[in-house]
Amino acid sequence: MKRIRYDSPLPRWVWLFPLILCSTSFAAAAYLLPDPLDAQAWKATLRDSTRYIGALIQYASETRSMAAIKTAHRPTLVFFGSTVIAPFLSLTIVGLYFALRPTSERNVSKFANGAEVKRMELHGDLGPVLGVFEGKLLKGSEPRHTLAAAPTRSGKTRQAITTVLDYPGTVIVVDPKREIKQITAPHRSKIGPTHTIGFADPNSPSGWNPFATANIPTEPVQIELAISRIASVLTPMNERATDKFWDETALRNMTALCMVEAYKALRTGEDGHLGNLISYIRELPETVDEDPFTLKMNQIAALAASYGAPNWVQEDLISFGQTEPKERGSHINSMLTKLQVFRTAATKRSLGINSFTVDDLRDRPCTVFIDFPREDARSFGPITAMFLDTIFTHALSNGRKENQYPILVIMDEFRDLPVIPNLISVMTAGAGAGLSAYILVQGYAQLKERYPDSYLNIINNCEWQIIFENPDAETQRVLTGTTGKTEYKSSSKQMNSMGAVTGKSQQLKEKDLMENVDWAIIPFGHHILIPRRHQIRPVYCTSAFWDKIPEIRRLVPRKNRIKT
């Protein structure tokens, strides 16, 4: 395997000094010639000066006297030194550097220099803004996943705003604090269509409807997969529960009802609505001879058959209707609790209109702001997760075609979002489909809390980790192991009984490049960038705050320049 060298092949002083020496020398030699542009004059003068120097050295050695050298022709000596000795000396300096420079049998960790950053391809134009290094914005050359970790008020959102303003493709932003939209919307609206969806806002400017005919697949297999994902967000499984009967039953019943709504929309050509699901189990018919709930489920099963739904939908509905009343009551109350939010005035509009399709986001650079108030995260988080999962599924299924735009999904305050079923698939295959995730958390413990079995998968599939000062112990532990160890020299002295030094020794030891506590004391306005393919060369960056970069700040109207 070819060994990767991280050392810069030519540090600046190695080539700068020889360059200055040779340039000055050749300028002096050119000054001595009557016509510096005449190549024949250079050739003849070099030949004559070489002969002269040879004869001078021979005469001095025969006479063993320095008098001849003192009276030698100075211009000839200067010309020879400039054209022969200076280049030879320059080559000698470079050669000695390569011959004598310290080498290591293995790569050790250290912070990246300018040449290494350039080789990491961090001066691209398509990735998110990763920081500022030596006065230049760092960006990837391809869509890749990014993970930013910092406690509150550390600046991670300020840098994410720079990405929104700078990104050339489509951006979807989960905006809990509403500040990203206020700062970036005027500029993004000049790039392409801008949509704002407020699932908790009865006057939401835009909307998204999972049961709109434009969003429902046409192939039966794809319909089942899409509806299963919607149901899994509405009724998530508790993976740590010992008895999964209740979760599995709730998921099965919810999936069957969602399938009815989807097939009804496809058959009638009218968009469905999540709020309609509650009427299936609440609005019961009047009957004397039968159980009204059993009768209602049988009626819905018949409708499902007429809409062309698969047979298993009818079977599950009939089975639900025949459940023992006491157990059934528990299932019904649980479903009503989960579905009640979809009958509110806020969701009636945001889920009743469909302002765009995923293909629209691919065909031109768009911006979608998800107004996601943290105080309503428990109620409206599942809808946001459902929306993101739909975007993820479509991107993974269709890929990015030629001339289509990449999609960047920025998830601020990631911990407040419920589990997104397809997130792990996006982390492993999304970049190849032109979909990249930008996840913002306060610490890796939040990732572990939300995705306990796969949080390391998320971290390992992020191309870039952006680390601001962080007191989280779990984050420090992971990062210290990630950046590796560096070498240092340890000196020791040997002393006799009288206290006199009798000897000295040096040992090459190693230590963590960044110890745990070091991650907690990164100065404000700076952060450390860890590229996935170059983990032992982290980059110490200046944070790319939107309000500190003139060319980015100019994109924001003065009235929108709020403090973040």
Side-chain angles (χ1 to χ4, degrees):
M1 184 180 73
K2 182 179 179 181
R3 182 171 176 79
I4 298 174
R5 288 197 64 89
Y6 282 98
D7 296 321
S8 179
L10 277 178
R12 186 173 299 176
W13 69 268
V14 176
W15 59 263
L16 190 59
F17 175 74
L19 179 63
I20 294 174
L21 177 62
C22 290
S23 300
T24 305
S25 299
F26 274 95
Y31 178 78
L32 298 174
L33 294 175
D35 185 5
L37 300 179
D38 187 355
Q40 295 297 326
W42 279 89
K43 184 177 180 180
T45 306
L46 179 60
R47 182 182 62 249
D48 294 341
S49 63
T50 303
R51 291 175 178 173
Y52 179 81
I53 295 298
L56 182 64
I57 294 174
Q58 182 180 1
Y59 177 77
S61 62
E62 290 176 353
T63 59
R64 296 183 180 180
S65 171
M66 299 297 294
I69 296 178
K70 293 180 180 180
T71 58
H73 189 249
R74 297 295 175 84
T76 302
L77 295 178
V78 171
F79 186 88
F80 183 81
S82 300
T83 55
V84 177
I85 297 178
F88 176 78
L89 183 60
S90 299
L91 291 174
T92 302
I93 291 174
V94 175
L96 286 174
Y97 168 77
F98 280 109
L100 301 178
R101 66 174 175 167
T103 59
S104 175
E105 291 297 322
R106 57 189 179 84
N107 283 315
V108 295
S109 299
K110 68 176 183 179
F111 287 100
N113 57 35
E116 291 164 347
V117 169
K118 186 176 181 180
R119 287 201 297 273
M120 293 176 192
E121 298 181 353
L122 291 176
H123 295 147
D125 57 1
L126 194 54
V129 175
L130 304 171
V132 177
F133 184 78
E134 295 185 347
K136 295 181 180 179
L137 280 180
L138 299 183
K139 293 186 290 184
S141 56
E142 296 180 5
R144 290 290 186 269
H145 305 307
T146 307
L147 178 61
T152 184
R153 309 307 302 170
S154 294
K156 61 181 183 298
T157 303
R158 289 173 71 181
Q159 180 158 289
I161 290 172
T162 305
T163 292
V164 177
L165 292 167
D166 180 77
Y167 197 70
T170 289
V171 181
I172 300 173
V173 185
V174 179
D175 189 14
K177 297 186 284 288
R178 302 181 178 92
E179 59 189 16
I180 300 179
K181 175 195 170 184
Q182 184 170 350
I183 295 172
T184 64
H187 174 67
R188 292 296 305 185
S189 62
K190 297 177 182 178
I191 298 175
T194 301
H195 307 280
T196 301
I197 302 176
F199 292 118
D201 181 6
N203 300 309
S204 176
S206 303
W208 169 80
N209 184 354
F211 289 109
T213 54
N215 290 332
I216 301 175
T218 55
E219 295 294 328
V221 174
Q222 296 301 322
I223 295 175
E224 292 183 14
L225 292 174
I227 298 305
S228 295
R229 284 188 290 267
I230 291 175
S232 67
V233 174
L234 296 175
T235 52
M237 296 283 292
N238 183 0
E239 299 297 336
R240 297 187 176 183
T242 55
D243 183 4
K244 297 186 178 180
F245 168 77
W246 295 99
D247 287 346
E248 291 172 348
T249 303
L251 179 59
R252 183 179 67 247
N253 295 334
M254 184 68 77
T255 303
L257 294 175
C258 289
M259 287 288 286
V260 174
E261 188 69 8
Y263 272 91
K264 176 184 175 182
L266 291 176
R267 177 56 63 90
T268 63
E270 298 180 359
D271 292 348
H273 195 285
L274 273 168
N276 295 339
L277 299 179
I278 203 169
S279 64
Y280 292 152
I281 54 179
R282 171 171 284 182
E283 299 174 4
L284 302 181
E286 294 183 3
T287 179
V288 178
D289 300 329
E290 296 185 59
D291 182 333
F293 188 80
T294 302
L295 178 59
K296 181 63 177 287
M297 290 299 104
N298 289 339
Q299 292 174 350
I300 297 176
L303 285 175
S306 67
Y307 296 147
N311 291 333
W312 63 263
V313 176
Q314 306 164 48
E315 295 170 358
D316 286 351
L317 290 170
I318 294 172
S319 176
F320 187 19
Q322 295 174 347
T323 307
E324 191 272 328
K326 190 173 182 180
E327 178 186 326
R328 175 207 304 167
S330 178
H331 292 315
I332 291 175
N333 289 334
S334 176
M335 294 180 70
L336 289 174
T337 301
K338 296 178 184 298
L339 293 174
Q340 187 59 41
V341 67
F342 302 121
R343 301 195 74 183
T344 63
T347 58
K348 279 186 178 180
R349 172 171 174 78
S350 59
L351 292 174
I353 58 176
N354 201 64
S355 303
F356 56 88
T357 65
V358 181
D359 287 332
D360 293 336
L361 305 181
R362 289 287 202 187
D363 293 338
R364 50 185 173 172
C366 303
T367 310
V368 180
F369 296 102
I370 306 298
D371 189 347
F372 181 61
R374 299 182 67 182
E375 62 272 17
D376 298 320
R378 182 177 295 273
S379 298
F380 297 99
I383 310 177
T384 304
M386 194 187 311
F387 168 74
L388 294 177
D389 194 66
T390 300
I391 300 294
F392 294 165
T393 302
H394 186 281
L396 292 173
S397 301
N398 297 277
R400 179 188 172 196
K401 301 179 179 62
E402 188 176 359
N403 297 324
Q404 285 188 328
Y405 288 90
I407 299 176
L408 174 64
V409 181
I410 299 178
M411 292 172 278
D412 199 1
E413 302 298 344
F414 182 74
R415 178 184 176 275
D416 293 327
L417 286 171
V419 172
I420 304 172
N422 254 330
L423 178 63
I424 304 304
S425 297
V426 167
M427 300 307 298
T428 55
L435 175 71
S436 52
Y438 190 146
I439 299 173
L440 292 90
V441 294
Q442 293 188 3
Y444 288 174
Q446 291 186 344
L447 276 180
K448 188 174 183 179
E449 175 188 349
R450 185 63 70 195
Y451 295 85
D453 299 324
S454 54
Y455 82 105
L456 287 177
N457 194 341
I458 295 175
I459 296 173
N460 294 336
N461 279 287
C462 284
E463 187 71 20
W464 304 291
Q465 296 178 60
I466 301 172
I467 312 299
F468 297 80
E469 56 91 10
N470 207 299
D472 178 51
E474 178 71 16
T475 305
Q476 295 174 359
R477 181 188 66 80
V478 173
L479 294 174
T480 297
T482 298
T483 51
K485 297 182 179 294
T486 188
E487 293 179 344
Y488 70 100
K489 291 180 179 179
S490 175
S491 300
S492 60
K493 298 179 181 178
Q494 291 80 43
M495 307 180 71
N496 58 22
S497 57
M498 302 296 293
V501 176
T502 59
K504 296 181 180 180
S505 63
Q506 278 191 339
Q507 286 183 315
L508 196 61
K509 295 185 177 180
E510 62 178 25
K511 64 177 181 178
D512 293 323
L513 177 67
M514 290 281 291
E515 297 180 351
N516 287 9
V517 69
D518 294 335
W519 298 103
I521 56 174
I522 300 173
F524 179 79
H526 294 80
H527 64 267
I528 293 175
L529 172 67
I530 305 176
R532 181 166 64 93
R533 294 178 175 84
H534 305 276
Q535 294 180 350
I536 63 172
R537 286 297 182 273
V539 186
Y540 184 66
C541 301
T542 301
S543 299
F545 295 154
W546 68 271
D547 52 329
K548 299 297 183 181
I549 305 172
E551 62 267 28
I552 299 296
R553 187 174 62 248
R554 282 194 292 268
L555 302 176
V556 183
R558 290 188 179 274
K559 64 179 181 179
N560 294 83
R561 297 178 185 177
I562 62 173
K563 185 177 180 180
T564 53

